[in-house]
Amino acid sequence: KRAMVNLGYELEFSATVNTSLDFGYNAFRFEPPNANNQGAGGAGELGSDDLLFEMTTFITPSEQFSALVGGTIYQQNGDIGAGSDYSNGWYSAYAQLDYRPIDQLKLILGGQYNSIEGLESDFVPRVGAVYHLTEKLGAKALWGQSFRAPYAIETSVNIPGVLIGNPDLEAEKLSNLDVQLFYTTSNLELYLTYFDYESANLITQAQASRS
């Protein structure tokens, strides 16, 4: 059983400053199978109630400069088996600046700070540049990192014989480098791309060993 509600509102303070507010509620209920995947497992109805609030402000004082700043509050609550009730708070703040020192060049600088209950705080940056040699020919280089903390279903779930969480999981960390040459017209698009991807602490499922 699922229920989802999403609400959004925009505030326009001036021609150069506006803010978006977003609220989301997600509810999930299920009755897990037993170890043989036959019928209910006796754990009763489990599930979660998640609340997400995000506020982002966009600032565009000129054609040469734009910025955004924002943050999120994410509250997770639920029961995922054998009395494994949980209540976790996730918080983040982020910003990005785009600057054009000349018409042909755009520079990008940004980052996000993450604070997750039970984990060390973390900061992930992003930098980039886009340069147009001509109106049709250009190049870009973008490098950034992303961060994903483990969910309660990955750390605290306790359905014996079906799924057991690992409370010692660390957050995933991904790094991406994207370098591209591009040529575009009204009838043709050509791209030559180099993409490099690195990951650390990827969260996956593993079969438990049997004694």
Side-chain angles (χ1 to χ4, degrees):
K1 301 176 184 178
R2 294 181 180 272
M4 295 173 283
V5 176
N6 292 280
L7 302 174
Y9 188 72
E10 290 190 1
L11 300 169
E12 186 172 336
F13 298 102
S14 69
T16 60
V17 179
N18 65 83
T19 295
S20 67
L21 305 173
D22 293 282
F23 171 80
Y25 168 71
N26 293 280
F28 177 58
R29 300 289 184 272
F30 75 103
E31 189 169 355
N34 59 23
N36 297 319
N37 294 319
Q38 297 176 352
E45 190 175 66
L46 311 179
S48 64
D49 294 276
D50 300 340
L51 299 172
L52 174 64
F53 175 77
E54 181 169 12
M55 180 176 68
T56 307
T57 297
F58 303 88
I59 307 168
T60 53
S62 68
E63 293 183 358
Q64 287 74 36
F65 178 83
S66 64
L68 68 85
V69 294
T72 63
I73 300 174
Y74 185 21
Q75 183 65 39
Q76 298 178 321
N77 303 281
D79 178 8
I80 44 181
S84 297
D85 297 343
Y86 65 89
S87 179
N88 299 326
W90 297 21
Y91 312 93
S92 71
Y94 53 84
Q96 180 171 309
L97 306 176
D98 294 353
Y99 176 60
R100 291 183 180 272
I102 57 176
D103 289 342
Q104 298 92 335
L105 176 64
K106 180 172 76 170
L107 303 176
I108 302 167
L109 176 64
Q112 178 171 305
Y113 173 80
N114 301 284
S115 177
I116 315 295
E117 290 184 15
L119 296 175
E120 292 185 6
S121 299
D122 192 272
F123 177 80
V124 289
R126 65 177 308 187
V127 295
V130 182
Y131 184 75
H132 286 265
L133 288 86
T134 68
E135 184 178 345
K136 301 176 181 178
L137 178 64
K140 73 174 184 179
L142 302 173
W143 178 84
Q145 292 184 325
S146 59
F147 169 98
R148 186 181 83 82
Y151 290 96
I153 193 69
E154 296 164 329
T155 61
S156 305
V157 64
N158 186 3
I159 307 175
V162 179
L163 188 63
I164 305 295
N166 180 359
D168 297 324
L169 287 176
E170 298 179 0
E172 294 182 345
K173 195 75 167 286
L174 308 177
S175 298
N176 297 309
L177 173 64
D178 184 3
V179 180
Q180 184 179 89
L181 293 174
F182 55 86
Y183 179 82
T184 60
T185 69
S186 59
N187 299 318
L188 176 67
E189 295 184 359
L190 295 175
Y191 301 94
L192 178 62
T193 302
Y194 171 80
F195 186 77
D196 183 72
Y197 166 87
E198 294 183 3
S199 61
N201 300 326
L202 284 181
I203 298 171
T204 61
Q205 290 188 14
Q207 184 174 0
S209 60
R210 299 179 180 272
S211 57

